[in-house]
Amino acid sequence: MSKIHLTTTVNGDAVEALVEADETLLDVLRNQLALTGAKEGCGSGDCGACSVTLDGRLVCSCLVLAVETQGRRVETVEGMAKGGVLHPLQQKFLELSALQCGICTPGFLVAARALLEKNPDPTETEVRYWLAGNLCRCTGYDKIVRAVMDAAAEMRGA
Amino acid sequence: MRYEAPDRIEKAVDLLASAAGEARVLAGGTDLIVQMKSEIVEPDLVIDVKRIAEMRGVVEEGGAFRIGAAVSGAELKEHPRLRKVWPGVIEAANLIGSTQVQGRATLGGNLCNASPAADSVPALIAAGAKVIIAGPAGRRELAVEDVVLGPRKTALAKGEIVVAFVLPKRVPLAADAYLRFIPRTEMDIAVVGCGVDLTLDPAGKIIAARMGLGAVAARPLLVGEAGAAIIGSSLDEPALARLEAAARAACRPIDDKRGTKEFRVQIAGVLARRVVHIAYERAKASAKVST
Amino acid sequence: MLDTVAKKSDYKVVGTRPIRPDGVDKVTGRARFGADLNLPGQLVGRVLRSPHPHARLVSIDVSAAAALDGVKAIVTREDFADQPPELTAAGEMMLNYRDVVRNVLAREKVLYEGHAIAAVAAISAAIARKALRLIRVDYEILPHVTDVVAAMAPDAPLLDEAMITAGVTPTPTTPSNIAKRVDFGHGDIDTGFAQADVIVEREFRTESVHQGYIEPQACVANVAEDGQAELFVTTQGQWIVRGHCAKLLGWNVNRIKVTAAEMGGGFGGKTVVYLEPLALALSAKARRPVKMVMTREEVLKATGPTSAARVRVKVGAKKDGRITAAFAECAYGAGAFAGSPAGGGAMCAFAPYELEHVATIGLDVLTNRPKVSAYRAPGAPIAAFAVESVLDEIARTIGVDPIDLRLKNAAKVGTRSTYGPTFAAIGFVELLQAAKAHPHYSAPLPAGQGRGVAAGFWFNVGGDTAVQLTLNEDASVTLTAGTPDVGGLRASLGMMVSEELGIPLDKIRTQIGDTASLAYNFVTGGSRSTFASGMASVEAARAMVKELAARAAKIWDIPVDAVKFEDGMLKPAGDNAGKYEPMSIRDIARQMAKTGGPIVGYATLNAQGAAPGLAFHIVDTQTDPETGKTTILRYTALQDVGRAIHPAFVEGQMQGGVAQGIGWALNEEYVYGADGRMQNAGFLDYRVPVASDLPMIDTVMVEVPNPRHPYGVKGVGEAPIVPPMAAIANAVARGAGVRFTQLPMSPPRVLAALSGQGAR
């Protein structure tokens, strides 16, 4: 069976790949484009470690076929820091030790950024519910929620 | 596997109708792709319907809403009119999975996946929603409660696709609500789901009521007796007791990893009581807002 | 003894919260975890697993699979030599090589659903999957038993037809699924119970729960034509992986270089091998790199959860709260092979208390489930759920405050522990006093809510450790440790070295070494890494200071003992004081070549003196009487942490332990069908807590320094998972009026109990 020629935009760069029809976006990002920041924790949309945005919409890249992204815009954790400067969320996660093992961190960062783009001043409850699809087994979420709230405050001030 | 992304519904119907092997419609993919990965389904053809304009929009026509079957839950939530007029349908659609899943999951997919526990279906049943189905023989309409026949079984014939949902025109003093029970606060499949739609008279008496129940039988149910139990009442205790009993009596659940039969029956009554209160308050409040 | 630990105020770096050195890599997606490495020419390895919980493996025919285009290698039981019984340490639990080889690939029988039977390496995942379907396995189905109590019955199906229970006199004559019995305690409990005013006796049941790390097992093996092998793997112990793989493959250990990837959570579960020997064997056959990654379903069905258990507890006390006698029997499921943490449970059950008459028993029971592996304080949480629940009942029965009850019986320095040794360092009394004084404990409680408390104990361990420090030519320092970093270890080690050398933290780069770059290190586990690698780092720094002093002495031409190291400077001392200009480490670094070559500090040790970890938790809950759903409203975790090197990481360990405990208490469980198959092998129905389930988790670090560590460190990672189940059960008992003796306290179970209004 012949592969499909995929042309899409990832973190602002035009990229091309030859993909199988049933390959997921996550597999293509990780295995073909060498963008391994998105992780596979479950493969069923239950852990959020593979979170990316697709045309600005937060999705699990394990539940998107790569061919669906033809001509669309994908953003991953690798695109968050700009010009050598960390995104305020990345900086806050570091300052507040909002990560332990770090496997869920890219997903949380991408999801939190999507939240703050929609809602720059979320309550703690809104943060917790928005991030309910991102599992973290290490932290108990406490420091993650604080980091998101603090980053939001800083971004509102900036 | 072959992938097609037609931009017209007729093309999609043709592909589906003429497919030799197993063909599947791909909307949000949050069920289909999981099933493909776990090798529960192995389609030869996947037809992505998200490039069909008719299936991607929300249109208000003379007070009724026509919702494309491939509109995601997140998009529905961002529609200000829909959120105001059909809050129960919107909250049900937005209980499907995580934020990430809501960015993809659609009403069409949630219905056609034909799970007894689909969150949006009891709310759509309560709302009196109809689906527009396109097929090789043309178009037809079906009430939502008549689409799912059993687990993984629908009333769709080969080549048929659910194109859109139609939510009827709202009368004054009416509102809907949806509640579900899950063990956690998010991310679980409903153990019981309960949607209700109420219409009141100016004195606050219920003049119309529809209730849908999910995850308590082989398919989502329209529970006529539950609606009838509270018509004519203002949710006094005897009416609520009748409602609870009717909701429980309608249950034909199974024991599984998500809950026991007894638990599901018990919870159906609890949710029925709780959800009608929410809808009732909303309906009363709608008098102030809508006119 | 305490004077060996410096005062906290003497530190410049220890006790602060610097950003970890691996932090930026982890927030930018650069950090390389187990599945993030791809090598040129790499093949995809997949495993064929048993659908049956118990069956004889009559035959395995791989011929059709081998003939498939793109299949490069297949391994089955034929490719691994059998191993004689031989015990080896893995994490905090012992393994038998005879069992390890059978768990990696089934031999005579499959013993649980998900048991590996064969592995295939192919040029694509699709071909590997197709090949698995072409393997023909002939099974002779056997009756199975997945329940731990049913497995102990005399007529239960036997997993090992030759198993005679060890530790019982006289030796039993008939085989059973009970592999072993262990006994602990002292005094005479009959005498103690005779003195009691009140006796509470209860039986508890808990279900298996999984470590639930978000990163599945993953590795890449690369075996060259000369037999030299590299293995990149997510693991808590690269040397353990090396040793176990070499043993199973019959290779010298130095043929395999194991590099520990960044690890996406382990919690004890990544201390044993599953895929690694298969990947090496496949790569050795195919002579190409082989990458293997588990699916979540495989993780849940085939990697170690912790035990399902039955615990019987009986406690007697005087009216004033003094415990006169205590008994516990911990029957823990081991899964398919012997080696449950029943011993750990029996040892920890009453460990926080000073008791005159105490007896505990551990029973290790085989069931047709995956072999359990270590999970955070293995064995202790289950025993504590039972014991701390009974203590709460006693406190209520005699009308004593639950903290006072524990204070009355608390173990102190010099107490003979219930499992044997005498405590040299234990901060339980200080911890209880802090809990009693905490505002949470006295905060008013609205109607319908319940407040529960419970204590938890974990031994903490030391063990084999090696660390190397190198002084670079620009006076920066590279620190190489061998215990994988699970939550900030690299920062904590660097902080201790920074204190020792008097150089800023940003001049110290800490990395985790591979098995070829350091001497043997035992795993990250037992809450040992900051303790033991910290101890070794300090020793290595002190060795480096000695060498620096020797170099200064050489330059100044004075005796070595006439040089002292102070504030990061080498100074002439004694008679020579003031004679020479002090030299910085940088000055010495510049002159390394002239004074004897490169400078390193090296330390290898078997770390001794680990002090126990004690945790005490306070929780407020509310249970919906109509649905049985319990909500955690407020949570305060207190812990004797020794000394917090990096307080944020210590808090993180405490908060994480609490969250896992809440999951264990309320919703996590393995659900088995009558067919012996797991019903909920995914994160959808294996329900770990999500962000919206939890409140903020307040932490109180009580610092009672460990006198046997240069910085007072005690292990902190495990104790915090011990109290939550009992604390929550105690809160539910007080708030909802129903005492739960079974986990999880899931809504269906709670509602059934509430409507029956009986204990369950």
Side-chain angles (χ1 to χ4, degrees):
Chain A
M1 199 182 326
S2 62
K3 292 193 177 190
I4 298 165
H5 180 203
L6 172 70
T7 308
T8 187
T9 304
V10 180
N11 299 327
D13 295 333
V15 300
E16 290 179 274
L18 290 177
V19 305
E20 301 282 356
D22 60 0
E23 253 181 303
T24 63
L25 173 60
L26 177 63
D27 284 342
V28 171
L29 287 172
R30 290 179 55 84
N31 300 336
Q32 293 209 42
L33 304 177
L35 292 169
T36 55
K39 310 297 180 189
E40 179 156 338
C42 67
S44 54
D46 296 307
C47 81
C50 66
S51 295
V52 302
T53 58
L54 182 57
D55 288 345
R57 186 75 71 186
L58 183 66
V59 299
C60 285
S61 60
C62 75
L63 293 190
V64 175
L65 296 180
V67 288
E68 291 183 75
T69 67
Q70 191 75 259
R72 299 177 72 182
R73 187 166 49 84
V74 178
E75 296 277 340
T76 72
V77 71
E78 285 92 344
M80 274 184 81
K82 300 279 187 225
V85 181
L86 296 179
H87 187 282
L89 279 162
Q90 293 173 311
Q91 189 62 37
K92 274 291 173 234
F93 268 57
L94 292 179
E95 287 171 6
L96 298 190
S97 302
L99 57 138
Q100 284 179 31
C101 80
I103 192 87
C104 69
T105 309
F108 268 98
L109 288 167
V110 169
R113 183 178 63 173
L115 168 64
L116 299 188
E117 280 169 4
K118 262 184 170 337
N119 180 359
D121 190 10
T123 62
E124 182 193 328
T125 301
E126 287 170 337
V127 171
R128 288 186 180 276
Y129 276 86
W130 181 276
L131 296 176
N134 291 85
L135 297 183
C136 170
R137 192 61 161 169
C138 293
T139 66
Y141 305 103
D142 183 302
K143 293 183 191 305
I144 293 175
V145 173
R146 288 178 201 276
V148 174
M149 304 282 290
D150 274 24
E154 194 174 294
M155 288 164 73
R156 288 194 305 276
Chain B
M1 185 190 105
R2 190 157 67 100
Y3 169 87
E4 296 287 348
D7 56 6
R8 284 181 309 111
I9 192 76
E10 295 74 17
K11 183 79 200 303
V13 168
D14 279 351
L15 283 165
L16 197 56
S18 61
E22 179 157 10
R24 290 284 175 144
V25 173
L26 170 70
T30 53
D31 287 310
L32 178 63
I33 296 175
V34 176
Q35 290 161 12
M36 282 163 56
K37 286 168 90 164
S38 50
E39 297 171 29
I40 294 170
V41 297
E42 293 174 78
D44 304 292
L45 171 65
V46 161
I47 303 160
D48 182 354
V49 292
K50 288 190 297 298
R51 292 182 193 258
I52 300 170
E54 189 185 355
M55 293 184 68
R56 293 281 300 127
V58 179
V59 188
E60 192 172 0
E61 294 163 335
F65 287 91
R66 195 187 146 95
I67 303 170
V71 177
S72 73
E75 289 165 322
L76 290 178
K77 196 176 172 181
E78 287 163 12
H79 195 285
R81 281 285 299 155
L82 200 53
R83 222 163 88 181
K84 196 165 129 195
V85 182
W86 293 102
V89 170
I90 300 310
E91 62 203 4
N94 279 278
L95 285 174
I96 305 167
S98 59
T99 314
Q100 285 84 341
V101 168
Q102 284 151 28
R104 296 264 293 166
T106 65
L107 293 184
N110 201 223
L111 178 66
C112 296
N113 184 52
S115 157
D119 275 304
S120 69
V121 181
L124 288 164
I125 289 174
K130 293 193 164 21
V131 291
I132 298 168
I133 297 167
R139 297 202 168 201
R140 62 175 177 134
E141 275 193 10
L142 207 58
V144 168
E145 57 269 28
D146 295 329
V147 176
V148 180
L149 304 178
R152 312 258 164 256
K153 267 185 71 183
T154 69
L156 296 181
K158 184 169 163 76
E160 284 193 324
I161 296 175
V162 171
V163 177
F165 292 75
V166 178
L167 290 170
K169 180 178 160 44
R170 263 283 179 230
V171 294
L173 286 165
D176 67 337
Y178 177 78
L179 281 179
R180 68 164 182 194
F181 182 84
I182 54 171
R184 291 180 290 186
T185 50
E186 273 281 0
M187 300 304 292
D188 295 325
I189 302 291
V191 179
V192 178
C194 184
V196 71
D197 186 70
L198 300 180
T199 308
L200 313 183
D201 71 9
K205 190 170 282 188
I206 295 170
I207 53 174
R210 279 172 69 92
M211 179 168 281
L213 270 178
V216 295
R219 61 196 190 93
L221 304 174
L222 171 66
V223 188
E225 299 79 1
I230 51 173
I231 289 176
S233 82
S234 301
L235 296 184
D236 50 288
E237 183 48 39
L240 288 168
R242 288 197 302 274
L243 168 83
E244 194 179 81
R248 287 185 178 142
C251 298
R252 287 179 297 282
I254 52 165
D255 276 328
D256 73 358
K257 60 196 171 190
R258 292 169 189 151
T260 57
K261 285 181 201 170
E262 299 74 32
F263 183 72
R264 287 192 152 104
V265 170
Q266 191 65 22
I267 296 300
V270 172
L271 291 189
R273 266 179 186 264
R274 290 181 181 183
V275 77
V276 293
H277 280 292
I278 299 170
Y280 189 81
E281 291 309 316
R282 281 178 182 166
K284 276 208 297 195
S286 73
K288 294 167 214 144
V289 198
S290 66
T291 44
Chain C
M1 282 286 271
L2 272 172
D3 57 348
T4 57
V5 181
K7 287 198 299 293
K8 202 173 175 181
S9 55
D10 295 342
Y11 297 137
K12 295 185 181 70
V13 186
V14 164
T16 65
R17 302 176 177 227
I19 288 173
R20 57 202 276 176
D22 52 315
V24 170
D25 280 359
K26 286 183 175 160
V27 298
T28 54
R30 279 186 184 85
R32 210 193 260 162
F33 290 84
D36 293 343
L37 177 69
N38 290 312
L39 294 178
Q42 173 181 291
L43 303 172
V44 180
R46 298 276 302 163
V47 177
L48 179 72
R49 297 184 182 278
S50 169
H52 306 297
H54 197 189
R56 209 167 297 286
L57 270 182
V58 179
S59 65
I60 307 169
D61 177 4
V62 300
S63 54
L68 186 66
D69 268 356
V71 172
K72 299 295 181 183
I74 299 178
V75 292
T76 65
R77 57 190 178 186
E78 309 296 332
D79 296 277
F80 289 87
D82 201 357
Q83 299 289 330
E86 178 190 347
L87 288 178
T88 180
E92 292 149 294
M93 293 159 59
M94 298 301 286
L95 290 176
N96 187 331
Y97 279 125
R98 181 192 172 276
D99 298 336
V100 175
V101 72
R102 280 168 175 73
N103 198 32
V104 164
L105 282 180
R107 296 184 83 80
E108 303 83 1
K109 300 203 290 187
V110 290
L111 294 164
Y112 55 95
E113 182 210 11
H115 200 160
I117 293 169
V120 170
I123 58 169
S124 74
I127 293 173
R129 264 202 308 274
K130 201 167 169 188
L132 293 186
R133 290 184 196 173
L134 293 173
I135 297 175
R136 293 278 157 256
V137 183
D138 189 6
Y139 300 95
E140 178 195 330
I141 309 287
L142 299 169
H144 64 269
V145 59
T146 55
D147 181 80
V148 64
V149 173
M152 288 189 285
D155 57 347
L158 292 176
L159 277 83
D160 180 345
E161 294 82 355
M163 181 164 289
I164 298 292
T165 308
V168 177
T169 338
T171 304
T173 50
T174 51
S176 80
N177 287 320
I178 304 174
K180 190 179 176 185
R181 170 181 162 140
V182 287
D183 285 83
F184 301 93
H186 52 244
D188 174 55
I189 54 169
D190 292 338
T191 306
F193 283 120
Q195 294 163 3
D197 295 324
V198 53
I199 293 175
V200 173
E201 188 172 4
R202 294 279 176 265
E203 183 174 307
F204 297 82
R205 294 292 303 270
T206 68
E207 245 311 328
S208 295
V209 295
H210 197 271
Q211 293 81 353
Y213 35 79
I214 307 300
E215 178 199 36
Q217 266 75 5
C219 66
V220 185
N222 192 9
V223 184
E225 282 72 5
D226 62 357
Q228 300 298 309
E230 291 187 323
L231 185 68
F232 178 82
V233 57
T234 175
T235 179
Q236 289 173 242
Q238 51 279 55
W239 281 267
I240 288 277
V241 169
R242 183 183 74 167
H244 291 188
C245 289
K247 182 81 175 179
L248 263 49
L249 293 160
W251 300 353
N252 289 337
V253 293
N254 71 352
R255 262 176 66 181
I256 314 172
K257 182 174 100 173
V258 182
T259 303
E262 292 294 343
M263 180 184 23
F267 314 112
K270 287 179 182 163
T271 55
V272 280
V273 295
Y274 299 102
L275 300 177
E276 298 84 352
L278 304 179
L280 285 165
L282 288 168
S283 181
K285 274 193 171 181
R287 293 300 180 209
R288 282 170 67 169
V290 175
K291 180 170 177 173
M292 299 185 82
V293 182
M294 281 195 193
T295 63
R296 179 55 50 183
E297 184 183 354
E298 287 179 293
V299 169
L300 286 165
K301 285 186 175 174
T303 74
T306 193
S307 301
R310 181 190 71 192
V311 182
R312 291 172 164 158
V313 174
K314 184 177 175 186
V315 176
K318 302 293 272 186
K319 279 190 188 123
D320 67 354
R322 179 73 208 162
I323 297 171
T324 59
F327 168 81
E329 182 206 74
C330 303
Y332 285 16
F337 302 100
S340 78
M347 291 165 85
C348 291
F350 295 105
Y353 305 105
E354 183 173 84
L355 302 174
E356 202 182 334
H357 303 292
V358 57
T360 63
I361 299 166
L363 298 174
D364 186 20
V365 186
L366 269 57
T367 56
N368 291 113
R369 298 190 182 206
K371 165 74 177 74
V372 302
S373 69
Y375 179 22
R376 223 169 177 162
I382 299 167
F385 165 58
V387 167
E388 296 288 315
S389 293
V390 167
L391 293 186
D392 194 62
E393 240 186 294
I394 290 199
R396 288 182 80 184
T397 308
I398 60 177
V400 171
D401 173 271
I403 295 184
D404 288 341
L405 179 86
R406 288 166 174 92
L407 273 168
K408 187 131 202 141
N409 297 286
K412 304 164 196 71
V413 171
T415 295
R416 182 186 177 194
S417 71
T418 57
Y419 58 92
T422 298
F423 289 122
I426 183 166
F428 193 39
V429 170
E430 293 88 335
L431 183 66
L432 290 169
Q433 285 163 345
K436 203 160 182 209
H438 194 277
H440 183 173
Y441 194 59
S442 49
L445 199 61
Q449 296 184 13
R451 177 167 299 150
V453 299
F457 173 96
W458 183 247
F459 315 99
N460 295 329
V461 305
D464 286 341
T465 311
V467 154
Q468 179 174 284
L469 267 179
T470 54
L471 179 65
N472 300 311
E473 58 273 29
D474 62 354
S476 65
V477 166
T478 304
L479 168 59
T480 306
T483 45
D485 182 346
V486 294
L489 176 72
R490 277 164 284 197
S492 300
L493 298 182
M495 290 165 78
M496 286 184 263
V497 168
S498 171
E499 292 287 354
E500 289 292 319
L501 297 181
I503 59 174
L505 190 56
D506 64 10
K507 290 280 189 296
I508 301 166
R509 189 77 192 172
T510 307
Q511 60 170 4
I512 304 302
D514 61 56
T515 56
S517 63
L518 266 185
Y520 183 90
N521 275 268
F522 191 53
V523 299
T524 287
S527 298
R528 77 176 211 98
S529 67
T530 306
F531 171 76
S533 283
M535 190 183 273
S537 297
V538 170
E539 278 202 14
R542 289 177 184 173
M544 177 175 278
V545 166
K546 247 187 206 157
E547 182 60 23
L548 291 167
R551 302 297 174 96
K554 197 167 189 179
I555 292 165
W556 289 329
D557 197 19
I558 61 174
V560 175
D561 54 13
V563 178
K564 65 174 180 179
F565 183 71
E566 203 176 66
D567 299 328
M569 301 294 283
L570 295 136
K571 299 173 182 172
D575 292 351
N576 298 299
K579 281 194 194 165
Y580 307 97
E581 199 60 27
M583 283 194 287
S584 65
I585 296 178
R586 174 176 296 270
D587 296 331
I588 305 279
R590 274 200 206 103
Q591 303 182 56
M592 274 194 294
K594 284 190 291 192
T595 57
I599 293 175
V600 300
Y602 197 68
T604 67
L605 46 84
N606 182 346
Q608 301 297 315
L614 271 298
F616 193 82
H617 293 183
I618 309 170
V619 60
D620 295 352
T621 64
Q622 182 149 29
T623 301
D624 183 336
E626 292 185 329
T627 64
K629 185 167 172 170
T630 297
T631 304
I632 307 295
L633 298 167
R634 183 175 179 183
Y635 208 108
T636 304
L638 302 98
Q639 192 169 326
D640 168 16
V641 300
R643 182 156 283 155
I645 303 301
H646 191 302
F649 297 150
V650 175
E651 291 164 2
Q653 289 297 317
M654 293 165 69
Q655 291 164 335
V658 168
Q660 292 183 353
I662 290 172
W664 198 337
L666 296 182
N667 278 311
E668 292 182 34
E669 62 176 322
Y670 271 47
V671 180
Y672 279 92
D675 58 1
R677 293 177 182 158
M678 187 184 179
Q679 308 284 301
N680 59 334
F683 275 143
L684 182 62
D685 288 300
Y686 183 84
R687 303 185 191 98
V688 308
V690 301
S692 48
D693 292 341
L694 302 179
M696 292 295 184
I697 297 160
D698 293 332
T699 55
V700 178
M701 293 176 278
V702 177
E703 294 195 308
V704 183
N706 177 2
R708 297 188 63 190
H709 188 277
Y711 285 82
V713 169
K714 292 177 181 171
V716 298
E718 292 171 288
I721 200 177
V722 183
M725 288 68 82
I728 293 167
N730 294 340
V732 170
R734 288 165 186 261
V738 182
R739 165 70 56 189
F740 278 86
T741 56
Q742 190 174 1
L743 295 181
M745 293 176 268
S746 57
R749 222 171 251 161
V750 173
L751 192 63
L754 283 173
S755 40
Q757 280 302 329
R760 201 37 251 155

